[in-house]
Amino acid sequence: MAKRGPGEPASEFDDRLRVLTALADKHLPPLAAADFLASLRPALRLEHAREGQEVVARLGGLPATAVASWPAWDEYGPLAHVLSFRCGPVSMMLPELGLPADGELAFFYLDQRPDFFQDAVVGTWDASTRPGFRVLHLLPGGISATPPGLVPLPAVELAAIRTLTWPSYDAPAAEAVWGKHGLSGPREGMPAPAVDALYEALEELSAGGGDVHQIGGHPHPQQNPVEYEAEELRHGLLDEPFDASDPEVQAAAVSWQLLLQVASDDDADMMWGDAGQLYYLVQDAQQPEEALFTWQCG
């Protein structure tokens, strides 16, 4: 079972752990409940910083650390800086993610503002769109090379709340639990009644919805599990066929870990499709620049 970090005060994490434990015990057989609780992951939920709150991350604007080579997609120009955070404070608040201890992570994506958007879609089904996103691990001492004419997105400072997340019912981590305990449901893609009841209760727990800025933890997909989409892109980059029903693909999908989720945000002039979200996923958080990307909207 996920545990509170060393010295971590009572927080949303503790409240959620108590509620999730009670819900799993209520709706699932004991062994399945234990495995479901073991799949929970701590995360940092990011919210607009209020006066007196510690700023942990920033939407839009420019990274605090110099970018020596600004990422660009040759055909469409420089990418937009979406969000950045300092690794040190985040690693202290979320040691489970395993980030590098120093520097800053900066996340980029093709600028989607109406004045900049040029009929391009970055998609996991098309590996040639890979230049449309980047993650940079920035270290102090670099020389800034901001492209001429770049218009940054509005900057919004973010505070962090340590929380606890669960996998969507059809995420690879959850499907492994249901398959192990015979809770996969009467039809493919449909949860068993006990799982369905559990997730109805979880929906009430997440009354604020899954549209959040978040570091680590389980992603909040708006469509299919994003882990499979990352695996689809990996196959495309290797020029290998992709079949989501392949047991090897399903096993590989479990290895993907959410690094960052960025929701649409009016204050930062961010609208991803129809109020969608961006997802950056890694297999090893010590290598954040190897992150792959997908996005979804409702």
Side-chain angles (χ1 to χ4, degrees):
M1 183 186 300
K3 297 185 183 297
R4 185 153 43 95
E8 181 72 17
S11 66
E12 182 175 283
F13 180 101
D14 299 278
D15 293 338
R16 283 201 164 183
L17 180 56
R18 282 192 293 270
V19 173
L20 287 164
T21 301
L23 290 176
D25 289 344
K26 176 181 178 181
H27 294 289
L28 299 176
L31 294 179
D35 283 344
F36 173 74
L37 292 171
S39 77
L40 304 180
R41 291 178 184 168
L44 296 184
R45 179 167 56 80
L46 304 175
E47 60 175 23
H48 291 192
R50 301 186 299 276
E51 186 175 354
Q53 285 187 297
E54 179 186 1
V55 173
V56 170
R58 177 185 292 121
L59 281 172
L62 297 173
T65 308
V67 179
S69 179
W70 194 275
W73 191 352
D74 289 344
E75 188 175 353
Y76 300 103
L79 303 183
H81 168 245
V82 174
L83 183 148
S84 57
F85 62 78
R86 288 181 296 127
C87 294
V90 169
S91 294
M92 290 181 65
M93 296 182 72
L94 192 65
E96 298 88 351
L97 185 54
L99 289 168
D102 58 355
E104 180 181 13
L105 293 191
F107 298 80
F108 300 84
Y109 178 51
L110 184 69
D111 203 324
Q112 299 291 289
R113 287 172 290 182
D115 292 343
F116 296 84
F117 182 69
Q118 301 184 46
D119 195 25
V121 178
V122 179
T124 57
W125 61 89
D126 184 354
S128 71
T129 64
R130 170 66 180 82
F133 67 90
R134 277 291 287 284
V135 178
L136 295 181
H137 183 201
L138 306 175
L139 297 172
I143 300 174
S144 179
T146 305
L150 178 74
V151 180
L153 289 155
V156 178
E157 294 182 330
L158 302 173
I161 297 173
R162 183 173 163 90
T163 188
L164 190 59
T165 63
W166 57 90
S168 60
Y169 79 88
D170 55 352
E175 286 189 325
V177 176
W178 315 144
K180 178 179 177 181
H181 297 283
L183 296 170
S184 296
R187 299 198 308 277
E188 185 176 353
M190 297 295 292
V195 175
D196 198 34
L198 170 64
Y199 276 81
E200 282 186 15
L202 291 175
E203 232 177 274
E204 294 182 16
L205 181 60
S206 60
D211 301 339
V212 295
H213 308 308
Q214 180 179 301
I215 299 172
H218 285 290
H220 302 265
Q222 292 186 317
Q223 297 181 24
N224 300 315
V226 297
E227 297 91 343
Y228 285 113
E229 295 185 8
E231 188 62 16
E232 180 181 22
L233 177 55
R234 187 182 73 84
H235 277 251
L237 293 170
L238 295 173
D239 197 24
E240 295 177 351
F242 174 79
D243 178 2
S245 65
D246 185 334
E248 290 188 7
V249 168
Q250 294 173 352
V254 177
S255 69
W256 288 101
Q257 160 72 56
L258 179 69
L259 181 57
L260 178 72
Q261 173 179 309
V262 184
S264 296
D265 192 303
D266 291 341
D267 289 352
D269 202 11
M270 294 178 180
M271 179 59 67
W272 316 123
D274 182 12
Q277 302 189 105
L278 309 182
Y279 307 87
Y280 299 82
L281 299 104
V282 290
Q283 292 179 313
D284 180 359
Q286 282 288 311
Q287 298 180 324
E289 293 190 338
E290 299 298 316
L292 294 185
F293 167 91
T294 189
W295 70 279
Q296 295 182 351
C297 63

